[in-house]
Each structure stands twice: as C-alpha cells, then as structure tokens.
C-alpha cells in the first residue's frame, strides 16, 4: 500500500470532501501555491455566471435578488452571494477549493457504543430498521412523538456504520440541538472522534467518524457522509429553504443512507408516508410509556390589548404563582422578541431568543437549575430536553405558533420518567385551527400508544 507523508495525510483529514474558501484553508501562501501546483487542491468557481444568471456553488442559491455587485474600474463587476455571506464571502473572484489529493485513513473501531440502556419494544423496532437501512443503503423516516427517545434509537445504526468504517452525520436545523446532542453522543460513544459544528463553534472535523452539525454547516461539504441523519426534518429553516435539502444531498455520498427524524411531519412527508413512498417507522408513545400531556386552553378576553398595554392578565399571573408555590419549573413561550422582553421585565425573569448574546449561557444555567423559569421565543420549541418542566404559551393564537410549533412546545413537558406528567397551557384570545390540531394530535397519538401496549 502506498504510504502518504504525514503532512499530506494531515491536510487530507482537514480538507477532503469539503468546499472551502482560501481563508478557511488557513495555509501559508507558499504551502497554498505548492498544493495548487501539485494538484492536491483545485479551484471551484464560487459563483457560476452566465449573462444575467448567477448560482452560488456553496449555498446553491439561485435567487438573483440575493447576489450583490461590486463595481470594478475597467472590468466586469465582481458578483458575490449575499445568502451565505455569514460563512465568508464567495464571489466571482473568491473561489472555493476542493481537495484532490489522496483520501485520508480512519481507524476501525470495533464496538464504539458504550451505552447500556434498554430500549422499549417500539424503540427496538426503529433501531433494527435503521440498522437495516445502514446495511442496505436505503432510506428511512422515523416518525416518533416528542419524548420517544429518538437519539437512543439511532445508536445501533451508528455503531453498525462505524464498524463498517462509514462516516455518519447527524444534521439538525438548530445550534442548541447540536450543543445538547454532542455531549450525549460523546458520553455514549467515547472511543470515536467526533466534531460538533455550528456557527461560532471552534471544533474541526478531521474526517471523523461522527459529525453533529447544523444543516447550514453542510454547505461546506460534498460527497462526505455514508449515513446522513436529518433530525427535526420539518423544522425551520430546513423545511422552508429549498437549498438546504440540496446541500444535504450534496454532502452525502451517492449511495448513502438517509434517515429522517420528525415528530411533526409536514405535508410532503405525510404524503410520502401515506403512499408508502418512504419506508417509515412510527413511534406514537414516549419512552417512559406515559401519555403526552394534552394542552389546556385558557381563553382571555382582550389578551392582545392587555399585552400591548404592558399589562399581564391575572389568569397568566395566577398560573405563574401556582407554579412558583408548588416549586414547579416552567418555560413561558412568547411569539415575538418584543413580548418576551416586556414579559421578562414585568415578571423579573430571564429570557432568550435567537439573537440573545447570552442564550447558550442562560440555557445552561436553566438546565443546571440555577433558576426556575425562563421566557423564550420559539427557539426552544424543539430538540431541547429539560427533565421536569411545565409550559405555557402566551398568545397561542399568534401566527408563529403553527400546529407543529404547538405540538413541539407541548412535547417539552413530562419528559422525565420520574415526573412523566406536565402541565401545558395555551393562553389565547381567539382559538385557532393550529391549537385545535395540536390538541387533536396529542389525543390521537395517546390513543395509538395505548393500542400499541394492549
Ligand atoms: Zn451562497
């Protein structure tokens, strides 16, 4: 077997199966020129352009409004992509680079899984289906309610893939979910190398066995993963942004296994499930066997007016007082940052939203039980698990709370086997279809779960 010099092996680990900007290569000019001259890396146009049509080759954006122009004296303007500019500018003058040298080696790990928990029969069924999908290079949709224990269902499949020296990616739309999943997976697979990638993370993927990443981070990959697990496949921004599914496909190898996880499938997946186009395994019950809490509706007259005038209706303050008296921890969901801010001020509670600079810190503090309540926008609607909490939604009739969001929010309660019940209350002025559908979903899933255990 041909041996690669250690330096080339090291560079191969850093660059292979990625599309990177020159500054992301982080090489001295001398070394960079050496790699180009020896055809170890090649240039890929950052933007493909014909007369008036541009496409970004990193984020696959084709929306012409999202391209900018930098005028140049005596030559054509530079075209750049605005859509993915946060990841560093890609333009007609700033190409991407692809590794064309030898592929890096990975060490086989015989039995990486150290988790010794026991799966429920339904979890076991999903777990076996995933192992089958890994072995057959086929796809699978795992349709499991919030609290079904989805992560543990993936373990046998991940173990099987790693044994076969395959590379696994768990992609999720939310950075908070990456931060929650990575430590669990590292605890349960302690002998493999992994990387947790999200905007602002300092970790690097050196051709690791396992990558846990936001779907956005996959814009830097091509033909990289044998197993692609897309968690929360129905979540924003993945389900709204047409380029992200394409990026996930590009980041996967041609004969890869795709595993999709969802508790609240959107219409396209529902159609695929109903018409059996997508092999699906359905898990209607939680891992601890207790029902999902059914939301309670609390109508409040002139709720919207009161909140606009910075007044918190007594029904809401009663709910909060009752929780505080009974030492119950809780999350209060608000539809907008402004309302979250004003509630936080009035109630003297911490709050988080997508732009909070201290969001990671506050979530950690809440998880560590350093305070008892947290106000949040929909950023904490899914993926995160706090063991013993109740939840209330303020203005549950607001348009940001669609059926999926309300189901996910309700799914935060009663997650612990030691405290499996939880209170979910929707405060509203006008009842919406989304609220009714969310409640119906809970009732239907609880009935299905009962039938599975009979
Ligand atoms: Zn782009």
């Amino acid at each position: 077997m041909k041996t690669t010099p250690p330096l080339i092996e090291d560079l191969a680990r850093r660059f292979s199966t990625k599309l990177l900007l020159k500054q992301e290569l982080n090489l001295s000019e001398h070394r960079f020129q050496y790699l180009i001259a020896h055809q170890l890396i090649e240039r890929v146009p950052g933007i493909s352009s014909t007369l008036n049509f541009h496409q970004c080759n990193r984020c696959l954006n084709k929306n012409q409004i999202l391209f900018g122009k930098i005028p140049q004296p005596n030559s054509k303007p530079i075209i750049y992509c605005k859509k993915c500019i946060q990841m560093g500018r890609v333009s007609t003058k700033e190409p991407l680079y692809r590794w064309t040298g030898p592929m890096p080696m990975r060490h086989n790990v015989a039995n990486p899984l150290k988790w010794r928990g026991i799966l429920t029969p339904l979890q076991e069924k999903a777990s076996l289906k995933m192992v089958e999908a890994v072995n057959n290079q086929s796809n699978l949709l795992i349709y499991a309610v919030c609290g079904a224990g989805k992560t543990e269902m993936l373990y046998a499949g991940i173990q099987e893939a790693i044994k076969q020296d395959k590379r696994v990616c768990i992609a999720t739309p939310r950075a908070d979910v990456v931060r929650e999943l990575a430590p669990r997976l590292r605890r349960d697979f302690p002998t493999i190398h992994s990387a947790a990638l999200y905007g602002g993370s300092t970790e690097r993927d050196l051709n690791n066995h396992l990558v846990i990443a936001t779907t956005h981070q996959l814009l830097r990959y091509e033909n990289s993963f044998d197993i692609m697990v897309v968690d929360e496949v129905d979540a924003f921004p993945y389900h709204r942004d047409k380029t992200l599914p394409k990026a996930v496909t590009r980041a996967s190898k041609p004969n890869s296994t795709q595993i999709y996880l969802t508790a609240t499938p959107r219409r396209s997946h529902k159609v695929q499930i109903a018409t059996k186009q997508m092999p699906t395994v359905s898990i209607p019950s939680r891992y601890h066997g207790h029902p999902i809490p059914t939301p309670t509706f609390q109508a409040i007259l002139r709720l919207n007016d009161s909140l606009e005038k910075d007044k918190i209706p007594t029904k809401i303050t009663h709910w909060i007082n009752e929780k505080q008296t009974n030492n119950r921890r809780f999350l209060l969901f608000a539809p907008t940052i402004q309302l979250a801010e004003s509630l936080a001020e009035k109630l003297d509670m911490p709050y988080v939203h997508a732009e909070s600079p201290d969001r990671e810190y506050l979530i950690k503090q809440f998880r560590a039980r350093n305070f008892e309540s947290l106000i949040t926008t929909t950023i904490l609607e899914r993926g995160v698990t706090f063991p013993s909490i109740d939840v209330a939604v303020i203005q549950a009739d607001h348009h940001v709370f669609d059926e999926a969001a309300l189901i996910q929010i309700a799914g935060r309660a009663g997650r612990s086997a030691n405290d499996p019940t939880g209170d979910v209350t929707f405060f509203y002025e006008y009842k919406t279809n989304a609220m009714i559908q969310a409640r119906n979903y809970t009732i239907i899933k609880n009935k299905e779960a009962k039938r599975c255990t009979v």
Side-chain angles (χ1 to χ4, degrees):
M1 189 177 61
K2 193 184 158 202
T3 53
T4 41
L7 175 64
I8 299 294
E9 177 68 21
D10 177 50
L11 295 175
R13 269 200 293 270
R14 281 166 58 188
F15 303 147
S16 65
T17 70
K18 291 175 191 162
L19 287 170
L20 299 172
L21 289 165
K22 189 176 175 187
Q23 66 261 33
E24 290 175 316
L25 297 175
N26 197 19
L27 297 167
S28 67
E29 189 58 27
H30 174 75
R31 187 163 283 170
F32 172 74
Q33 292 303 342
Y34 176 91
L35 296 183
I36 291 276
H38 288 80
Q39 295 173 0
L40 290 165
I41 51 174
E42 68 175 7
R43 279 189 190 91
V44 177
I47 309 279
S48 298
S49 285
T50 53
L51 267 178
N52 279 320
F53 185 83
H54 314 295
Q55 178 181 321
C56 171
N57 288 330
R58 180 171 60 191
C59 74
L60 306 169
N61 165 38
K62 288 186 200 170
N63 185 348
Q64 301 305 299
I65 299 162
L66 297 176
F67 289 96
K69 272 186 195 173
I70 308 168
Q72 298 296 300
N74 310 321
S75 66
K76 281 196 222 165
I78 295 173
I79 308 294
Y80 68 95
C81 178
K82 292 180 184 172
K83 191 172 179 203
C84 61
I85 198 155
Q86 279 190 325
M87 302 174 84
R89 193 171 67 192
V90 172
S91 75
T92 40
K93 281 277 185 298
E94 284 146 308
L96 297 161
Y97 293 90
R98 171 190 287 141
W99 179 255
T100 46
M103 288 302 284
M105 311 284 283
R106 250 191 324 270
H107 298 294
N108 267 6
V109 182
N111 283 303
L113 178 61
K114 301 297 176 225
W115 184 74
R116 292 291 170 258
I118 296 165
L119 296 175
T120 64
L122 281 174
Q123 283 179 309
E124 184 70 32
K125 184 174 138 194
S127 174
L128 290 172
K129 288 269 179 210
M130 177 168 167
V131 173
E132 232 176 82
V134 167
N135 287 326
N136 301 337
Q137 293 166 315
S138 55
N139 300 338
L140 178 67
L141 177 74
I142 301 180
Y143 176 13
V145 295
C146 304
K150 277 180 290 194
T151 308
E152 290 79 6
M153 293 177 208
L154 303 177
Y155 281 0
I158 296 173
Q159 156 130 304
E160 186 63 25
I162 291 170
K163 273 185 183 172
Q164 297 176 25
D165 197 25
K166 289 180 172 176
R167 206 160 115 81
V168 181
C169 176
I170 301 181
T172 170
R174 308 274 172 106
D176 296 304
V177 182
V178 175
R179 287 192 283 261
E180 176 165 313
L181 273 181
R184 283 171 66 188
L185 286 156
R186 285 173 181 160
R187 178 197 65 201
D188 297 333
F189 291 91
T191 54
I192 59 163
H193 293 289
S194 60
L197 308 177
Y198 50 90
S201 104
T202 51
E203 295 187 21
R204 284 199 305 180
D205 166 29
L206 300 175
N207 188 41
N208 295 334
H209 279 112
L210 179 64
V211 170
I212 308 128
T214 54
T215 39
H216 264 106
Q217 294 297 316
L218 298 184
L219 298 178
R220 293 199 174 95
Y221 285 93
E222 62 174 359
N223 295 332
S224 193
F225 299 100
D226 302 280
I227 316 296
M228 176 64 75
V229 180
V230 186
D231 187 20
E232 308 281 0
V233 69
D234 59 292
F236 177 83
Y238 188 83
H239 89 280
R240 288 263 174 86
D241 187 337
K242 288 197 174 75
T243 60
L244 284 177
K246 286 183 190 161
V248 166
T249 305
R250 183 182 62 184
S252 309
K253 287 186 185 168
N255 290 320
S256 61
T257 294
Q258 309 273 316
I259 310 284
Y260 301 103
L261 303 178
T262 178
T264 44
R266 303 276 165 183
R267 192 186 301 271
S268 62
H269 274 130
K270 278 182 181 166
V271 170
Q272 288 182 329
I273 297 167
T275 55
K276 298 197 164 50
Q277 286 174 54
M278 171 78 81
T280 303
V281 53
S282 179
I283 316 288
S285 65
R286 294 186 142 185
Y287 77 96
H288 54 48
H290 294 270
I292 314 163
T294 307
T296 304
F297 289 1
Q298 281 226 38
I300 300 179
L301 258 180
R302 290 187 286 281
L303 170 65
N304 304 337
D305 267 1
S306 305
L307 293 173
E308 244 167 58
K309 288 176 190 150
D310 271 350
K311 283 185 199 150
I312 302 178
T314 42
K315 278 190 182 174
I316 297 176
T317 48
H318 275 164
W319 188 91
I320 293 170
N321 290 340
E322 194 219 311
K323 301 299 159 199
Q324 288 170 337
T325 314
N326 294 314
N327 291 323
R328 293 287 302 171
R329 311 182 73 233
F330 61 92
L331 287 174
L332 278 188
F333 283 85
T336 61
I337 298 174
Q338 291 92 313
L339 182 60
E341 257 169 9
S342 94
L343 287 172
E345 203 187 313
K346 287 266 161 326
L347 298 166
D348 192 23
M349 283 180 198
Y351 74 102
V352 286
H353 58 82
E355 310 301 326
S356 309
D358 48 0
R359 157 180 165 189
E360 203 179 331
Y361 170 80
L362 285 172
I363 294 170
K364 260 191 190 161
Q365 293 293 308
F366 184 61
R367 197 183 296 290
R369 297 173 168 260
N370 288 339
F371 46 84
E372 298 304 301
S373 53
L374 184 62
I375 298 169
T376 175
T377 57
T378 52
I379 57 152
L380 291 187
E381 78 181 25
R382 56 173 79 223
V384 287
T385 301
F386 305 106
S388 252
I389 56 161
D390 292 329
V391 293
V393 184
I394 315 294
Q395 283 185 322
D397 47 351
H398 192 282
H399 66 86
V400 306
F401 295 122
D402 60 12
E403 178 192 349
L406 291 171
I407 291 169
Q408 291 286 349
I409 288 170
R412 299 310 100 207
R415 300 288 286 248
S416 163
N418 299 325
D419 183 16
T421 55
D423 174 11
V424 178
T425 300
F426 294 167
F427 292 105
Y428 68 100
E429 185 169 341
Y430 304 102
K431 202 184 288 176
T432 60
N433 281 338
M435 291 165 53
I436 297 166
Q437 282 156 357
R439 187 162 67 180
N440 288 347
Y441 168 99
T442 314
I443 295 165
I444 291 166
K445 288 291 163 195
N446 285 339
K447 274 188 188 161
E448 276 180 38
K450 232 178 184 175
R451 276 203 301 273
C452 287
T453 52
V454 174

